[in-house]
């Protein structure tokens, strides 16, 4: 069953040959795009949708989210707005609430969060574990995440659980926990942040990442969020697909990113919700680094599921043009997930399309907080 989509005021394809088209149309069939071009030369199709001049962009790719959790940390947010600093200590309260929740409770919370994302134009989401921190609780989180996305990430190395011995916990994560979780995961991630007493240093992170790689998982790293540290260089060194946060970068970090093929994923909702300085996207782009944007949707540092908000923050606060920010939220984030079938609108790509209730992509940053984007 093919569908012809017409009345596209602006079509941002992110395809180098196609570029951005006005007065465009496209045809998709069974979830795959089969034709893109000027409306006047569109082929016939079984069905037809007229968008009345709205803009169409690739569905947003949210390549970093922590959606399997229960509980509420709004009081922690309020305390931060009153001057408290974030150090990862609040994760323990989400771990307790998540362990106490039933499978069905977590499934319902997850479904609601994924629907909330879709309603704001996100068509692919990566989901991490990391609020279980036992073999059974981490495996459960990943099995639930795998029900809603193929992009699942084992984050047993989120923090050292309260009362646990650090070395014994790293051994558990890299051994029995990884073995239980790997069948449900595509990726392994570590919160590498020596500035936090709860997170992991470079040696601990390397142990977990190398074990994950040996188990067949791709690598991702939470790095350089709270202070400059070893996360970025470690990620590039190990060939990770992405290093996420990158808020505090030295010139050596920048050189490593520019010389490797690890994407720098920026999460400006975190700086917004922790009242921290934003990462310098301009410096990364000018050095030739591939930059992605994602929400990091989680109960501690950013409880927002909105990719349009991330685009607006990137433009307003981080020196990105609207076009660069949109690329980072679509094609760039697809690269951060090493996906070649999403993030771009072109024949052969998945028909993951987002419609804007606006004439152009500029409105994503121009109309902050207004729900103009939805997945088609
Ligand atoms: O990506 N930094 C580590 N992990 C999450 C926050 C987790 C939490 O506070 O619940 C992040 O910001
Ligand atoms: Fe995160």
């Amino acid at each position: 069953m093919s569908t012809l989509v017409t009345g596209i005021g602006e079509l941002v394809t992110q395809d180098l040959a196609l570029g951005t088209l006005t007065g465009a149309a496209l045809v998709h069939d069974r979830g795959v795009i089969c034709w893109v071009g000027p409306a006047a030369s569109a082929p016939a199709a079984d069905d037809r949708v007229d968008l009345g001049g709205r803009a169409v962009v690739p569905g947003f790719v949210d390549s970093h989210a922590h959606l399997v959790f229960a509980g509420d940390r709004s009081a922690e947010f309020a305390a931060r707005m009153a001057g408290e600093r974030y150090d990862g200590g609040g994760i323990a309260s989400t771990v307790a609430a998540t362990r106490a929740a039933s499978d069905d409770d977590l499934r319902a919370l997850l479904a609601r969060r994924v629907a909330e994302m879709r309603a704001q134009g996100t068509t692919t989401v990566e989901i991490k574990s990391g609020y279980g921190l036992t073999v059974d609780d981490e495996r459960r989180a990943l099995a639930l995440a795998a029900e809603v996305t193929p992009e699942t990430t084992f984050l047993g190395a989120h923090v050292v659980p309260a009362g646990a011995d650090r070395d014994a916990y790293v051994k558990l994560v890299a051994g029995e926990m990884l073995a239980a979780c790997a069948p449900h995961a595509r990726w392994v991630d570590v919160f590498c942040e020596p500035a936090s007493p709860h997170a992991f240093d470079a040696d601990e992170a390397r142990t977990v990442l190398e074990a994950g790689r040996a188990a067949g998982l791709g690598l991702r790293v939470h790095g350089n969020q709270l202070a400059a540290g070893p996360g970025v260089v470690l990620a590039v060194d190990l060939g990770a697909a992405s290093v996420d946060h990158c808020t505090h970068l030295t010139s050596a970090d920048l050189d490593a990113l520019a010389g490797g093929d690890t994407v720098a994923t920026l999460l400006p909702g975190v700086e917004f919700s922790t009242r921290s300085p934003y990462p310098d996207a301009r410096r990364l782009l000018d050095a030739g680094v591939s930059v992605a944007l994602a929400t990091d949707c989680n109960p501690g540092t950013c409880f927002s599921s909105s990719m349009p908000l991330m685009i607006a923050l990137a433009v307003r606060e981080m020196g990105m043009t609207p076009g660069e920010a949109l690329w980072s939220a679509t094609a760039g984030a697809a690269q951060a997930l090493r996906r070649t079938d999403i993030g771009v609108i072109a024949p052969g790509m998945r028909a993951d399309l987002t419609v804007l209730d606006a004439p152009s992509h500029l409105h994503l940053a121009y109309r902050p907080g207004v729900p103009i984007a939805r997945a088609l």
Side-chain angles (χ1 to χ4, degrees):
M1 173 87 176
S2 58
T3 303
L4 168 62
V5 184
T6 59
I8 305 175
E10 179 189 72
L11 180 66
V12 182
T13 69
Q14 310 292 22
D15 180 81
L16 283 178
L18 291 168
T20 295
L21 308 171
T22 49
L26 62 84
V27 178
H28 60 87
D29 191 351
R30 279 157 290 188
V32 177
I33 294 168
C34 34
W35 184 87
V36 178
S41 46
D46 301 322
D47 197 9
R48 194 185 174 110
V49 176
D50 187 339
L51 294 179
R54 290 179 177 79
V56 171
V57 302
F60 301 131
V61 177
D62 192 345
S63 59
H64 184 142
H66 308 242
L67 302 187
V68 191
F69 70 86
D72 179 272
R73 282 161 63 195
S74 51
E76 181 188 320
F77 171 77
R80 261 200 322 271
M81 292 305 106
E84 294 273 320
R85 279 179 68 82
Y86 176 83
D87 77 347
I91 292 172
S93 91
T94 301
V95 169
T98 305
R99 286 179 184 167
S102 71
D103 290 7
D104 280 343
D105 288 343
L106 289 176
R107 195 175 273 121
L109 288 165
L110 192 51
R112 198 200 302 171
R113 291 168 188 148
V114 171
E116 186 180 288
M117 287 181 158
R118 211 180 150 76
Q120 297 168 96
T122 296
T123 51
T124 299
V125 60
E126 180 261 16
I127 299 178
K128 300 173 196 297
S129 66
Y131 293 119
L133 311 186
T134 67
V135 173
D136 284 344
D137 289 297
E138 285 294 300
R139 177 179 41 206
R140 171 171 84 140
L142 285 162
L144 290 167
E147 292 177 7
V148 297
T149 184
E151 302 298 341
T152 53
T153 300
F154 169 48
L155 182 59
H158 196 184
V159 288
V160 179
D165 174 77
R166 176 169 276 280
D167 290 346
Y169 186 68
V170 171
K171 269 208 186 76
L172 177 72
V173 170
E176 194 191 337
M177 197 184 283
L178 171 65
C181 290
H184 307 287
R186 176 165 187 233
W187 304 98
V188 59
D189 191 347
V190 178
F191 184 15
C192 178
E193 191 76 53
S196 163
H198 311 284
F200 299 87
D201 68 20
D203 288 345
E204 294 162 342
R206 181 182 282 275
T207 298
V208 171
L209 293 168
E210 284 180 343
R213 182 163 63 188
L217 305 184
L219 311 186
R220 328 186 65 72
V221 175
H222 279 72
N224 301 49
Q225 173 186 1
L226 304 176
V232 166
V233 169
L234 180 69
V236 176
D237 200 38
L238 292 175
S242 180
V243 57
D244 301 34
H245 288 288
C246 294
T247 309
H248 300 274
L249 298 181
T250 63
S251 51
D253 295 326
L254 202 72
D255 291 347
L257 285 165
D261 66 353
T262 299
V263 173
T265 298
L266 308 183
L267 310 165
V270 171
E271 281 72 37
F272 179 84
S273 296
T274 58
R275 191 174 279 142
S276 306
Y278 289 93
D280 190 345
R282 193 73 262 149
R283 184 171 167 231
L284 285 161
L285 291 169
D286 291 347
V289 177
S290 291
V291 171
L293 284 170
T295 63
D296 198 12
C297 184
N298 77 80
T301 57
C302 176
F303 197 8
S304 172
S305 53
S306 172
M307 289 295 282
L309 175 63
M310 304 311 137
I311 290 170
L313 290 173
V315 171
R316 171 66 178 82
E317 304 289 345
M318 290 157 49
M320 297 179 87
T321 67
E324 286 169 339
L326 179 58
W327 186 88
S328 292
T330 54
Q335 208 170 299
L337 291 172
R338 301 246 160 113
R339 290 279 296 268
T340 54
D341 58 336
I342 57 174
V344 171
I345 297 173
M349 304 296 283
R350 279 176 61 113
D352 289 349
L353 304 169
T354 283
V355 182
L356 308 183
D357 206 355
S360 87
H361 72 284
L362 298 178
H363 285 236
L364 283 164
Y366 174 49
R367 308 205 66 213
V370 182
I372 61 167
R374 65 178 161 87
L376 187 65

